Amino acid sequence: MTPAPDPAVAPAVALRDGGVALGGRPILRGIDLAVHDGEFVALMGANGSGKSTLVRTLVGLHPLTAGEVRLFGTPLDRQADWRRVGYVPQRASAASGVPSSVGEVVASGRLSRRRLLRPLSRADRLAVDRALDVVGLRDRRRESVGDLSGGQQQRVLIARALAGEPDLFFLDEPTAGVDLPNQQILADTLGHLKQVGATIVLVAHELGPLAPLVDRCVVMRDGRIAYDGGPLADHEVHSSWFAEPHTHHHHAPEARNGDRAPQVSAPVDTTRTDLP
């Protein structure tokens, strides 16, 4: 388990009384969330519950209609050091419609740490090699991303984020549509990140092999947080009792057997491949 947070240290992620509307329709309402250094937090819930909207809001892809997001204690609109943030979008963004090799996509994650149009330095190449090693794709670096399986494409996106050497990772549904062997490789990769102290916010419908890594579950329902507490089994997350008012924030479940307990000037843009 992650040690208790130091109250004197600003959370890696903080959102207070957050609200989001898309197309004039309220999507998120009254969201209070803090994620501390080294935590592995799973944002869960049914499709349409608001979990992906929330993570996209935390990286600046959706504007707030209420509240404020802070990363490492700095308001999102004044966040300058995006090198500390890695965002892994859903797999549809892996190839981005542009023919690219695995190595090229992963190397694009280094653009936050070097000047535009400058060639890769030795440090850049080493970071790319390490990222490919972690996700087990070093031998595929010259292949086209479009020729890879869905699970392999997801690992490329994670390697791209890893190459930027961030402290904080946001991952949006990394196991969606991914077969079990690739889910296990993803779990091993995220386990490595957890071991080295990274802070991880993971959006998931179901956890599968990732479940043992999770320190805390935040369950979304109808654009609000219905539960914020200890790890849960997948079937519990989708149980109807989460709709009951008494299950709101910080309700701790009973223990169960098997539980463990870019430098850029604007927020992350998923239409670009030059950001981690």
Side-chain angles (χ1 to χ4, degrees):
M1 294 293 290
T2 300
D6 184 345
V9 178
V13 183
L15 172 59
R16 183 167 180 80
D17 196 26
V20 172
L22 299 178
R25 183 169 67 91
I27 303 296
L28 302 180
R29 293 157 289 176
I31 301 293
D32 290 320
L33 178 67
V35 179
H36 296 273
D37 287 348
E39 272 195 301
F40 192 125
V41 175
L43 294 179
M44 303 188 70
N47 292 334
S49 62
K51 58 188 186 296
S52 287
T53 299
L54 176 54
V55 79
R56 289 172 65 84
T57 299
L58 295 175
V59 297
L61 293 171
H62 292 318
L64 288 164
T65 54
E68 180 186 56
V69 176
R70 288 177 176 257
L71 299 181
F72 309 108
T74 302
L76 191 66
D77 59 2
R78 299 209 302 268
Q79 180 64 236
D81 197 0
W82 284 96
R83 293 176 300 179
R84 299 186 68 187
V85 181
Y87 175 58
V88 181
Q90 294 186 19
R91 192 178 69 246
S93 300
S96 300
V98 178
S100 301
S101 71
V102 169
E104 288 169 341
V105 172
V106 176
S108 72
R110 292 297 295 178
L111 289 179
S112 63
R113 294 186 173 271
R114 62 188 175 93
R115 293 179 181 177
L116 192 63
L117 303 181
R118 293 290 297 271
L120 290 173
S121 67
R122 181 172 182 274
D124 293 329
R125 291 192 295 271
L126 286 173
V128 170
D129 286 345
R130 283 195 299 267
L132 287 167
D133 283 340
V134 169
V135 301
L137 290 175
R138 191 166 182 172
D139 61 336
R140 313 293 292 272
R141 66 185 307 150
R142 298 186 185 282
E143 295 185 28
S144 170
V145 172
D147 292 337
L148 301 183
S149 70
Q152 291 167 336
Q153 288 187 26
Q154 193 63 270
R155 286 152 58 190
V156 171
L157 291 176
I158 292 175
R160 184 179 70 180
L162 280 169
E165 301 176 304
D167 303 312
L168 169 63
F169 289 85
F170 295 95
L171 301 101
D172 192 357
E173 299 269 16
T175 59
V178 175
D179 61 22
L180 189 58
N182 273 292
Q183 287 185 35
Q184 186 59 59
I185 293 172
L186 291 172
D188 294 342
T189 299
L190 297 184
H192 167 79
L193 294 180
K194 181 174 180 173
Q195 286 179 352
V196 299
T199 306
I200 300 171
V201 179
L202 168 80
V203 175
H205 183 72
E206 295 182 341
L207 292 171
L210 301 178
L213 303 174
V214 173
D215 298 313
R216 177 174 147 217
C217 277
V218 175
V219 181
M220 301 291 296
R221 179 151 299 192
D222 298 326
R224 297 181 184 272
I225 293 178
Y227 171 94
D228 184 345
L232 297 167
D234 289 336
H235 73 275
E236 292 177 297
V237 170
H238 301 289
S239 296
S240 60
W241 60 265
F242 273 112
E244 299 300 322
H246 74 275
T247 66
H248 197 56
H249 299 276
H250 306 295
H251 170 77
E254 295 181 4
R256 302 181 310 278
N257 291 335
D259 274 358
R260 295 209 324 147
Q263 186 156 19
V264 296
S265 58
V268 179
D269 180 354
T270 58
T271 65
R272 297 169 57 185
T273 60
D274 59 345
L275 302 182

